[in-house]
Amino acid sequence: MDTAADITAMRRAITLAARGLGSTSPNPVVGCVVLDAAGRHAGEGFHQRAGGPHAEIHALRDAGERARGGTAYVTLEPCNHTGRTGPCAQALIDAGIARVVYAVGDPNPQATGGADTLRAAGIKAEQGLLATEAEAGNAAWLTSVRLGRPYVLWKYAASLDGRIAAADATSRWITSPESRADVHRLRAEADAVVVGSGTARTDDPQLGVRRIEDAVQPLRVVVDTGATAVRPGARVLDGTAPTLIAVAEDADARHLPQAAVLRLPRAATGPGLDIPALLRALHGRGIRSVLLEGGPTLAGAFVAAGTVDKVVGYLAPVLLGAGPAALADAGISTIAEALRLDVTETVRIGPDLRITAVPGPARKGN
């Protein structure tokens, strides 16, 4: 039976894991807490960057000899393979840990088996403590392993009546400076930021992360099917971060830097590119999480493809009455086909309301 001390230690490990968001890809975010044999805090750590020591190694180094006979709490099953670093299961054994409590089993076939290795060495290994919380914190990586595509968070900003611009197409600024600053946090946590040709043509966005210390700049992706929206000198082609321009296989993209061009098949039905093909291509480049900032047309294509894993909407206390809606055609023709969402959080951001929601169980895993 899990004790209050167990729960407190694992909750701390989950908090530590979140510090790695945006800097560990293509690896997961992982946190670890070590208690000594008497149940006192001995050490802690988190995975800070891909190629660097894993969370368990940081925690064991912090604990030193106090780890012997103690308990390690880890948000993800300790790895069992040698990559750029050694197997964490063996490190726990060598440190003399007596018990390991991990929240989520490792679905990566190359790394799984750590718990079995621990048990074979006489260490008690237990799975499942605060698994739901740990899964939520590591949703991007877990989705990428299980589905073979990046995790997609669709962000939009709109008036209270769902408009992303006024009737004359003006849109800056519907939401507050506080909300816009919060969006930079989302960018900093994502591996890639994706927009469509409409956004690129209208806003000429730069898509970099600003005012967040030590942020890793995400890959900037513009879905520009006909290669007509991004022109030489566009801000998205500056040196702030790497950029990909996704175009159709038959598009004339000679005016674009060829290293930035990603050619993809067109969608089987309707305009635009094949969204699953885009996500597969990004996954193949090590992208594990995508922040979709595109306009209503691109958002509709992602929803229609069943590839939106989370929605974050910033709603401003403003009424426009006309203008484009946040979401265009998403392949939904009747109320019975509506994508039902479960609201997981509502937060005031300055004068605005930030609503976070995820698809209901019937659509998860699509």
Side-chain angles (χ1 to χ4, degrees):
M1 182 176 179
D2 298 319
T3 66
D6 292 332
I7 293 170
T8 298
M10 183 62 79
R11 188 154 284 135
R12 174 60 181 169
I14 292 170
T15 299
L16 288 168
R19 294 185 182 179
L21 285 170
S23 63
T24 65
S25 188
N27 292 353
V29 293
V30 183
C32 179
V33 169
V34 174
L35 302 186
D36 66 16
R40 296 170 300 215
H41 187 278
E44 64 182 34
F46 66 97
H47 185 40
Q48 299 175 14
R49 60 179 179 84
H54 290 186
E56 296 94 323
I57 306 305
H58 283 296
L60 290 172
R61 289 174 179 171
D62 190 30
E65 279 302 310
R66 292 178 297 164
R68 191 162 300 278
T71 299
Y73 300 83
V74 196
T75 56
L76 185 69
E77 179 183 1
C79 67
N80 198 43
H81 78 302
T82 300
R84 285 183 283 183
T85 60
C88 290
Q90 189 60 50
L92 291 164
I93 294 168
D94 293 344
I97 287 289
R99 175 178 172 238
V100 174
V101 181
Y102 63 98
V104 180
D106 193 332
N108 184 352
Q110 294 181 319
T112 193
D116 291 338
T117 296
L118 293 169
R119 294 184 185 109
I123 295 174
K124 188 175 182 181
E126 306 166 15
Q127 177 182 346
L129 178 61
L130 300 185
T132 299
E133 293 180 32
E135 285 239 7
N138 218 6
W141 183 82
L142 290 168
T143 296
S144 73
V145 173
R146 292 165 178 167
L147 301 184
R149 65 159 176 83
Y151 180 89
V152 177
L153 188 161
W154 171 41
K155 160 263 165 188
Y156 71 93
S159 63
L160 201 57
D161 54 341
R163 307 293 179 175
I164 62 168
D168 65 354
T170 54
S171 62
R172 294 187 178 183
W173 296 99
I174 291 176
T175 53
S176 65
E178 293 91 340
S179 288
R180 298 197 295 276
D182 196 60
V183 170
H184 283 276
R185 176 187 60 82
L186 295 182
R187 286 184 183 177
E189 293 177 356
D191 294 341
V193 177
V194 178
V195 299
S197 57
T199 300
R201 188 176 291 112
T202 303
D203 297 341
D204 186 25
Q206 194 254 4
L207 300 180
V209 177
R210 296 187 294 276
R211 296 182 293 276
I212 295 184
E213 188 176 355
D214 298 327
V216 177
Q217 292 291 341
L219 174 69
R220 300 174 294 183
V221 182
V222 179
V223 180
D224 186 9
T225 305
T228 59
V230 180
R231 310 306 297 179
R235 297 175 69 216
V236 78
L237 295 176
D238 69 13
T240 300
T243 300
L244 281 180
I245 312 299
V247 305
E249 292 168 328
D250 57 351
D252 182 358
R254 288 175 293 179
H255 58 287
L256 295 172
Q258 292 306 293
V261 173
L262 172 64
R263 292 191 177 275
L264 295 171
R266 292 178 182 269
T269 59
L273 299 178
D274 184 313
I275 297 302
L278 168 64
L279 292 175
R280 287 193 298 270
L282 294 177
H283 188 268
R285 292 170 179 256
I287 299 300
R288 298 296 178 258
S289 60
V290 163
L291 176 61
L292 176 61
E293 290 197 42
T297 300
L298 188 62
F302 270 77
V303 171
T307 54
V308 172
D309 300 295
K310 181 186 285 188
V311 179
V312 175
Y314 295 86
L315 299 182
V318 175
L319 298 176
L320 292 174
L327 185 66
D329 181 16
I332 299 168
S333 58
T334 178
I335 193 67
E337 298 172 351
L339 175 56
R340 302 288 179 177
L341 305 175
D342 295 330
V343 175
T344 59
E345 184 184 52
T346 56
V347 179
R348 284 287 298 271
I349 304 288
D352 305 325
L353 181 65
R354 186 186 71 202
I355 299 178
T356 303
V358 297
R363 287 292 294 269
K364 286 179 181 176
N366 286 359

PDB file of all heavy atoms in Angstrom, residues 68-88:
ATOM      1  N   ARG A  68      22.088   3.895  -0.634  1.00  0.00           N
ATOM      2  CA  ARG A  68      22.173   2.468  -0.334  1.00  0.00           C
ATOM      3  C   ARG A  68      21.085   2.073   0.676  1.00  0.00           C
ATOM      4  O   ARG A  68      20.944   2.660   1.735  1.00  0.00           O
ATOM      5  CB  ARG A  68      23.559   2.132   0.220  1.00  0.00           C
ATOM      6  CG  ARG A  68      23.840   0.632   0.311  1.00  0.00           C
ATOM      7  CD  ARG A  68      25.335   0.383   0.423  1.00  0.00           C
ATOM      8  NE  ARG A  68      26.063   0.909  -0.727  1.00  0.00           N
ATOM      9  CZ  ARG A  68      26.184   0.278  -1.908  1.00  0.00           C
ATOM     10  NH1 ARG A  68      25.604  -0.910  -2.078  1.00  0.00           N
ATOM     11  NH2 ARG A  68      26.873   0.834  -2.878  1.00  0.00           N
ATOM     12  N   GLY A  69      20.280   1.086   0.245  1.00  0.00           N
ATOM     13  CA  GLY A  69      19.177   0.619   1.082  1.00  0.00           C
ATOM     14  C   GLY A  69      17.928   1.464   0.974  1.00  0.00           C
ATOM     15  O   GLY A  69      16.929   1.193   1.645  1.00  0.00           O
ATOM     16  N   GLY A  70      17.967   2.496   0.137  1.00  0.00           N
ATOM     17  CA  GLY A  70      16.845   3.415   0.039  1.00  0.00           C
ATOM     18  C   GLY A  70      15.874   3.090  -1.082  1.00  0.00           C
ATOM     19  O   GLY A  70      15.911   2.011  -1.683  1.00  0.00           O
ATOM     20  N   THR A  71      14.988   4.056  -1.364  1.00  0.00           N
ATOM     21  CA  THR A  71      13.947   3.900  -2.378  1.00  0.00           C
ATOM     22  C   THR A  71      14.080   4.988  -3.428  1.00  0.00           C
ATOM     23  O   THR A  71      14.288   6.165  -3.081  1.00  0.00           O
ATOM     24  CB  THR A  71      12.545   3.988  -1.744  1.00  0.00           C
ATOM     25  OG1 THR A  71      12.399   2.941  -0.779  1.00  0.00           O
ATOM     26  CG2 THR A  71      11.451   3.847  -2.799  1.00  0.00           C
ATOM     27  N   ALA A  72      13.972   4.599  -4.690  1.00  0.00           N
ATOM     28  CA  ALA A  72      13.993   5.564  -5.794  1.00  0.00           C
ATOM     29  C   ALA A  72      12.590   5.675  -6.377  1.00  0.00           C
ATOM     30  O   ALA A  72      11.941   4.657  -6.652  1.00  0.00           O
ATOM     31  CB  ALA A  72      14.976   5.130  -6.869  1.00  0.00           C
ATOM     32  N   TYR A  73      12.113   6.884  -6.559  1.00  0.00           N
ATOM     33  CA  TYR A  73      10.804   7.159  -7.156  1.00  0.00           C
ATOM     34  C   TYR A  73      11.055   7.799  -8.526  1.00  0.00           C
ATOM     35  O   TYR A  73      11.683   8.856  -8.616  1.00  0.00           O
ATOM     36  CB  TYR A  73       9.994   8.102  -6.269  1.00  0.00           C
ATOM     37  CG  TYR A  73       9.736   7.540  -4.885  1.00  0.00           C
ATOM     38  CD1 TYR A  73      10.690   7.657  -3.878  1.00  0.00           C
ATOM     39  CD2 TYR A  73       8.539   6.878  -4.594  1.00  0.00           C
ATOM     40  CE1 TYR A  73      10.471   7.127  -2.614  1.00  0.00           C
ATOM     41  CE2 TYR A  73       8.315   6.351  -3.332  1.00  0.00           C
ATOM     42  CZ  TYR A  73       9.277   6.477  -2.350  1.00  0.00           C
ATOM     43  OH  TYR A  73       9.054   5.945  -1.098  1.00  0.00           O
ATOM     44  N   VAL A  74      10.580   7.152  -9.579  1.00  0.00           N
ATOM     45  CA  VAL A  74      10.870   7.590 -10.933  1.00  0.00           C
ATOM     46  C   VAL A  74       9.565   7.697 -11.715  1.00  0.00           C
ATOM     47  O   VAL A  74       8.690   6.827 -11.598  1.00  0.00           O
ATOM     48  CB  VAL A  74      11.828   6.613 -11.659  1.00  0.00           C
ATOM     49  CG1 VAL A  74      12.423   7.273 -12.892  1.00  0.00           C
ATOM     50  CG2 VAL A  74      12.930   6.135 -10.735  1.00  0.00           C
ATOM     51  N   THR A  75       9.431   8.726 -12.512  1.00  0.00           N
ATOM     52  CA  THR A  75       8.183   8.930 -13.252  1.00  0.00           C
ATOM     53  C   THR A  75       8.018   7.960 -14.414  1.00  0.00           C
ATOM     54  O   THR A  75       6.903   7.731 -14.872  1.00  0.00           O
ATOM     55  CB  THR A  75       8.097  10.367 -13.780  1.00  0.00           C
ATOM     56  OG1 THR A  75       9.249  10.648 -14.588  1.00  0.00           O
ATOM     57  CG2 THR A  75       8.039  11.359 -12.626  1.00  0.00           C
ATOM     58  N   LEU A  76       9.123   7.387 -14.897  1.00  0.00           N
ATOM     59  CA  LEU A  76       9.089   6.432 -16.002  1.00  0.00           C
ATOM     60  C   LEU A  76       9.976   5.247 -15.646  1.00  0.00           C
ATOM     61  O   LEU A  76      11.027   5.418 -15.013  1.00  0.00           O
ATOM     62  CB  LEU A  76       9.588   7.095 -17.294  1.00  0.00           C
ATOM     63  CG  LEU A  76       9.513   6.286 -18.591  1.00  0.00           C
ATOM     64  CD1 LEU A  76       8.058   6.086 -19.016  1.00  0.00           C
ATOM     65  CD2 LEU A  76      10.284   7.004 -19.711  1.00  0.00           C
ATOM     66  N   GLU A  77       9.559   4.063 -16.052  1.00  0.00           N
ATOM     67  CA  GLU A  77      10.338   2.854 -15.783  1.00  0.00           C
ATOM     68  C   GLU A  77      11.806   3.062 -16.158  1.00  0.00           C
ATOM     69  O   GLU A  77      12.113   3.497 -17.271  1.00  0.00           O
ATOM     70  CB  GLU A  77       9.758   1.696 -16.590  1.00  0.00           C
ATOM     71  CG  GLU A  77      10.488   0.382 -16.409  1.00  0.00           C
ATOM     72  CD  GLU A  77       9.923  -0.729 -17.288  1.00  0.00           C
ATOM     73  OE1 GLU A  77       8.962  -0.457 -18.051  1.00  0.00           O
ATOM     74  OE2 GLU A  77      10.431  -1.859 -17.217  1.00  0.00           O
ATOM     75  N   PRO A  78      12.735   2.756 -15.260  1.00  0.00           N
ATOM     76  CA  PRO A  78      14.150   2.934 -15.576  1.00  0.00           C
ATOM     77  C   PRO A  78      14.543   2.177 -16.840  1.00  0.00           C
ATOM     78  O   PRO A  78      14.129   1.033 -17.041  1.00  0.00           O
ATOM     79  CB  PRO A  78      14.858   2.367 -14.338  1.00  0.00           C
ATOM     80  CG  PRO A  78      13.865   2.564 -13.225  1.00  0.00           C
ATOM     81  CD  PRO A  78      12.528   2.316 -13.861  1.00  0.00           C
ATOM     82  N   CYS A  79      15.336   2.832 -17.689  1.00  0.00           N
ATOM     83  CA  CYS A  79      15.697   2.214 -18.971  1.00  0.00           C
ATOM     84  C   CYS A  79      16.630   1.029 -18.749  1.00  0.00           C
ATOM     85  O   CYS A  79      17.313   0.919 -17.727  1.00  0.00           O
ATOM     86  CB  CYS A  79      16.333   3.248 -19.895  1.00  0.00           C
ATOM     87  SG  CYS A  79      17.937   3.861 -19.331  1.00  0.00           S
ATOM     88  N   ASN A  80      16.654   0.163 -19.753  1.00  0.00           N
ATOM     89  CA  ASN A  80      17.394  -1.092 -19.637  1.00  0.00           C
ATOM     90  C   ASN A  80      18.364  -1.274 -20.796  1.00  0.00           C
ATOM     91  O   ASN A  80      18.746  -2.385 -21.114  1.00  0.00           O
ATOM     92  CB  ASN A  80      16.405  -2.267 -19.602  1.00  0.00           C
ATOM     93  CG  ASN A  80      17.020  -3.539 -19.058  1.00  0.00           C
ATOM     94  OD1 ASN A  80      17.743  -3.504 -18.073  1.00  0.00           O
ATOM     95  ND2 ASN A  80      16.737  -4.671 -19.702  1.00  0.00           N
ATOM     96  N   HIS A  81      18.714  -0.176 -21.470  1.00  0.00           N
ATOM     97  CA  HIS A  81      19.581  -0.307 -22.632  1.00  0.00           C
ATOM     98  C   HIS A  81      20.684   0.746 -22.585  1.00  0.00           C
ATOM     99  O   HIS A  81      20.609   1.727 -21.844  1.00  0.00           O
ATOM    100  CB  HIS A  81      18.789  -0.155 -23.940  1.00  0.00           C
ATOM    101  CG  HIS A  81      18.466   1.260 -24.285  1.00  0.00           C
ATOM    102  ND1 HIS A  81      17.751   2.092 -23.445  1.00  0.00           N
ATOM    103  CD2 HIS A  81      18.798   2.026 -25.369  1.00  0.00           C
ATOM    104  CE1 HIS A  81      17.615   3.283 -24.004  1.00  0.00           C
ATOM    105  NE2 HIS A  81      18.249   3.275 -25.172  1.00  0.00           N
ATOM    106  N   THR A  82      21.705   0.527 -23.381  1.00  0.00           N
ATOM    107  CA  THR A  82      22.805   1.469 -23.494  1.00  0.00           C
ATOM    108  C   THR A  82      22.667   2.241 -24.798  1.00  0.00           C
ATOM    109  O   THR A  82      22.687   1.650 -25.882  1.00  0.00           O
ATOM    110  CB  THR A  82      24.167   0.743 -23.462  1.00  0.00           C
ATOM    111  OG1 THR A  82      24.291   0.045 -22.221  1.00  0.00           O
ATOM    112  CG2 THR A  82      25.313   1.736 -23.609  1.00  0.00           C
ATOM    113  N   GLY A  83      22.461   3.551 -24.680  1.00  0.00           N
ATOM    114  CA  GLY A  83      22.421   4.423 -25.841  1.00  0.00           C
ATOM    115  C   GLY A  83      23.568   5.402 -25.706  1.00  0.00           C
ATOM    116  O   GLY A  83      24.734   5.010 -25.596  1.00  0.00           O
ATOM    117  N   ARG A  84      23.226   6.696 -25.681  1.00  0.00           N
ATOM    118  CA  ARG A  84      24.268   7.686 -25.420  1.00  0.00           C
ATOM    119  C   ARG A  84      24.661   7.683 -23.946  1.00  0.00           C
ATOM    120  O   ARG A  84      25.682   8.242 -23.563  1.00  0.00           O
ATOM    121  CB  ARG A  84      23.786   9.074 -25.855  1.00  0.00           C
ATOM    122  CG  ARG A  84      23.794   9.247 -27.353  1.00  0.00           C
ATOM    123  CD  ARG A  84      23.389  10.648 -27.783  1.00  0.00           C
ATOM    124  NE  ARG A  84      21.959  10.860 -27.704  1.00  0.00           N
ATOM    125  CZ  ARG A  84      21.362  11.981 -28.086  1.00  0.00           C
ATOM    126  NH1 ARG A  84      22.086  12.986 -28.550  1.00  0.00           N
ATOM    127  NH2 ARG A  84      20.046  12.109 -28.008  1.00  0.00           N
ATOM    128  N   THR A  85      23.820   7.059 -23.117  1.00  0.00           N
ATOM    129  CA  THR A  85      24.138   6.874 -21.699  1.00  0.00           C
ATOM    130  C   THR A  85      23.884   5.412 -21.344  1.00  0.00           C
ATOM    131  O   THR A  85      23.260   4.665 -22.097  1.00  0.00           O
ATOM    132  CB  THR A  85      23.252   7.771 -20.801  1.00  0.00           C
ATOM    133  OG1 THR A  85      21.879   7.429 -21.016  1.00  0.00           O
ATOM    134  CG2 THR A  85      23.463   9.243 -21.145  1.00  0.00           C
ATOM    135  N   GLY A  86      24.357   5.007 -20.164  1.00  0.00           N
ATOM    136  CA  GLY A  86      24.200   3.622 -19.751  1.00  0.00           C
ATOM    137  C   GLY A  86      22.819   3.336 -19.207  1.00  0.00           C
ATOM    138  O   GLY A  86      22.009   4.245 -18.987  1.00  0.00           O
ATOM    139  N   PRO A  87      22.507   2.043 -18.955  1.00  0.00           N
ATOM    140  CA  PRO A  87      21.186   1.670 -18.447  1.00  0.00           C
ATOM    141  C   PRO A  87      20.983   2.118 -17.008  1.00  0.00           C
ATOM    142  O   PRO A  87      21.806   1.860 -16.136  1.00  0.00           O
ATOM    143  CB  PRO A  87      21.186   0.136 -18.563  1.00  0.00           C
ATOM    144  CG  PRO A  87      22.626  -0.249 -18.550  1.00  0.00           C
ATOM    145  CD  PRO A  87      23.373   0.875 -19.200  1.00  0.00           C
ATOM    146  N   CYS A  88      19.864   2.800 -16.780  1.00  0.00           N
ATOM    147  CA  CYS A  88      19.580   3.310 -15.437  1.00  0.00           C
ATOM    148  C   CYS A  88      19.252   2.186 -14.457  1.00  0.00           C
ATOM    149  O   CYS A  88      19.497   2.314 -13.255  1.00  0.00           O
ATOM    150  CB  CYS A  88      18.436   4.318 -15.494  1.00  0.00           C
ATOM    151  SG  CYS A  88      18.893   5.857 -16.313  1.00  0.00           S
TER     152      CYS A  88
END
